[in-house]
Amino acid sequence: MIEQSIRELESRSLARIAAAQTAEELEAARVEALGRKGPLTQFSKEMGKLTPEERKQLGMLLNGAKERLENAHETRKTELEDAALRARLDGEWLDLTIPAAGPRRGHLHPITRIQRELEELFTSLGFAVLDGPEVETEYHNFDALNIPPDHPARDMQDTFWLDGGNLLRTHTSPVQVRGMERLGPPLRMIAPGRVFRNESVDASHEHTFYQLEGMMVDRNVSIAHLLYFMKTLLSSIFGREVTVRLRPGYFPFVEPGFELDIQCLICGGPGCAVCKQSGWVELLPCGLVNPNVLRMSGIDPEEWGGFAFGLGLTRLAMMRYGIDDIRQLQGGDLRFLGQF
Ligand code: 2NL
């Protein structure tokens, strides 16, 4: 009678253990079959009422059932653990043969690209590419350029002055002054680089921007030479012939000085929003080098003459790429720079 119920109990519990699908279900089945409140334990507790012979019989029965249940539990536990590990390995596999993504490829800043293009062009025309200090003396930045002592450009509002009387160059002209001093005539040179003005920053003004100035000094240099080189420069920049005009312009370092305008490339002359209905776009200040400037750098203006020009690289980059806020160019935002 009792033997019968132990056997039934065992086979029911074995079935439950084998059917367990999770560690929780398995544990519940184990507690039910073998736990301290489980039927097997209850049977063991009642053995005291039995005769020694009956006790021996029942004890063997109970121990056998207990052992088989424990084995079944252990087996199922291992099965479930193996299955869990296999599922995890399937989910987490790594293909170590896939090639790595590699470092992200960078590229030149749009201003650097324009600068390099123009360096190539001028090199091909026999010009040297010169570099110079960004911290300059007042002499090289102003005096040697015939800029008078009371000129507003020398003001605190326009120039970053440094302790000791030096300053951050406000144009690349001092590089050309140093070039004239060092090379002597005849010479052809360009001076591209970073310049600084004490400006309030907004969409069209930066305290830091880029310029490319150029100069040729030789015998019998005329405005015809100036025009030839400027037209060559502009058709290289814009990739087509451009129509130009000269208007008088005043800069202390050139005499005569000009504003060179190009016929508007958007509307071709009749007038549009870009040229403000005038048909012309102001682009390039230039002129013949002032004899005082030549003399101060040790070049005899009776024998030598030259032309010079100044090109805003930052403005050119904005025109070419349609950038409407100058602050983007120095901003370092890769989402912006990545577009070029
Ligand atoms: C500008 C300035 C110009 C020059 C720059 C120059 C330099 C020397 C002698 C004579 Cl050492 N001239 N530079 C000449 C004409 C115009 O432009 O701010 N351009 C955006």
Side-chain angles (χ1 to χ4, degrees), residues 316-333:
L316 204 58
M318 291 174 74
M319 279 175 65
R320 177 184 294 184
Y321 296 112
I323 298 164
D324 61 5
D325 190 329
I326 194 172
R327 290 166 290 198
Q328 302 267 27
L329 286 164
Q330 294 280 317
D333 186 337

Side-chain angles (χ1 to χ4, degrees), residues 111 115 193-195 208-212 311-314 330:
I111 292 180
Q115 181 179 324
R194 185 159 62 159
V195 302
T208 301
F209 55 99
Y210 289 78
Q211 254 197 347
L212 186 149
L311 188 62
L313 288 181
T314 300
Q330 294 280 317

Side-chain angles (χ1 to χ4, degrees), residues 108-231:
L108 295 178
H109 191 280
I111 292 180
T112 311
R113 258 173 58 184
I114 291 189
Q115 181 179 324
R116 297 243 178 122
E117 261 176 48
L118 294 178
E119 287 175 5
E120 293 252 320
L121 169 72
F122 277 103
T123 304
S124 79
L125 296 171
F127 285 69
V129 180
L130 299 192
D131 207 351
E134 291 179 343
V135 171
E136 266 295 359
T137 63
E138 182 172 9
Y139 172 78
H140 285 100
N141 196 80
F142 291 127
D143 300 296
L145 289 157
N146 201 39
I147 297 172
D150 58 353
H151 194 281
R154 300 208 191 204
D155 210 85
M156 294 285 285
Q157 270 74 54
D158 294 298
T159 299
F160 288 114
W161 290 92
L162 305 174
D163 290 347
N166 285 339
L167 48 81
L168 295 184
R169 68 182 184 196
T170 60
H171 40 201
T172 58
S173 310
V175 180
Q176 308 211 78
V177 171
R178 293 175 183 280
M180 286 189 287
E181 291 172 352
R182 188 154 53 87
L183 302 173
L187 58 82
R188 298 177 191 195
M189 61 186 165
I190 58 168
R194 185 159 62 159
V195 302
F196 310 89
R197 304 237 174 123
N198 196 350
E199 301 259 15
S200 311
V201 173
D202 62 28
S204 47
H205 297 86
E206 252 287 11
H207 49 68
T208 301
F209 55 99
Y210 289 78
Q211 254 197 347
L212 186 149
E213 287 197 17
M215 174 191 281
M216 169 170 149
V217 176
D218 211 322
R219 296 187 173 89
N220 304 315
V221 172
S222 72
I223 292 168
H225 294 105
L226 169 66
L227 272 174
Y228 168 77
F229 280 99
M230 294 306 98
K231 288 192 78 162

Side-chain angles (χ1 to χ4, degrees), residues 237-256:
I237 289 171
F238 294 108
R240 53 172 144 148
E241 288 294 311
V242 291
T243 307
V244 305
R245 74 176 183 188
L246 289 181
R247 285 179 297 119
Y250 175 71
F251 307 96
F253 28 89
V254 284
E255 181 58 38

